[in-house]
Amino acid sequence: MKHLNYLGSAVLLALTVFLAVILLLPALGVAINWTPKTTPHRLLANPFIGWCLVVALVGGLALIRAGTLFQQCVSALVLVGLIFGLALATGLFWDAWLSPMLVLAALPVQRAATDVLKSLVR
């Protein structure tokens, strides 16, 4: 379990898998009629946005495992900043419910990265 929760990334990984599963359901032949103006309906109506989000999250999760511990923490904080920016943009212009999901998934990564950086400074 510790391997999956590297630098607190388990929640972010779960969100990424959740988004990918929602986007893959129509390709698997599972047709769910989502209520309009919900996050899954908007993700399926605009698959380019959903897949770009999944690719950005997967790329960020892969980057926080590369390099030295200091580089991993810096990469994690850059990923958190990217996620906060994406959350701000989606909350203002696209889907208000996806924004808090992104922010709450990124907070454990931010906390773990700052804790590790504090321990490296001492």
Side-chain angles (χ1 to χ4, degrees):
M1 183 66 184
K2 188 170 183 156
H3 183 68
L4 289 176
N5 195 22
Y6 189 73
L7 283 177
S9 63
V11 179
L12 195 58
L13 179 63
L15 176 67
T16 306
V17 170
F18 173 71
L19 292 174
V21 166
I22 286 177
L23 291 168
L24 285 174
L25 282 177
L28 296 173
V30 179
I32 299 174
N33 293 328
W34 299 102
T35 306
K37 296 185 179 180
T38 60
T39 300
H41 181 267
R42 287 184 178 147
L43 285 170
L44 292 176
N46 301 307
F48 180 73
I49 294 172
W51 282 115
C52 287
L53 181 62
V54 169
V55 167
L57 293 176
V58 167
L61 286 170
L63 280 177
I64 65 172
R65 294 179 180 266
T68 64
L69 189 58
F70 179 74
Q71 290 171 336
Q72 291 172 359
C73 291
V74 170
S75 297
L77 292 176
V78 169
L79 174 64
V80 168
L82 173 74
I83 292 171
F84 284 173
L86 289 171
L88 180 67
T90 59
L92 289 175
F93 302 113
W94 191 54
D95 183 28
W97 292 105
L98 185 61
S99 179
M101 285 192 293
L102 288 170
V103 169
L104 291 175
L107 287 177
V109 176
Q110 180 185 11
R111 170 110 186 197
T114 55
D115 287 346
V116 170
L117 282 176
K118 285 179 187 175
S119 70
L120 287 175
V121 169
R122 293 180 188 161

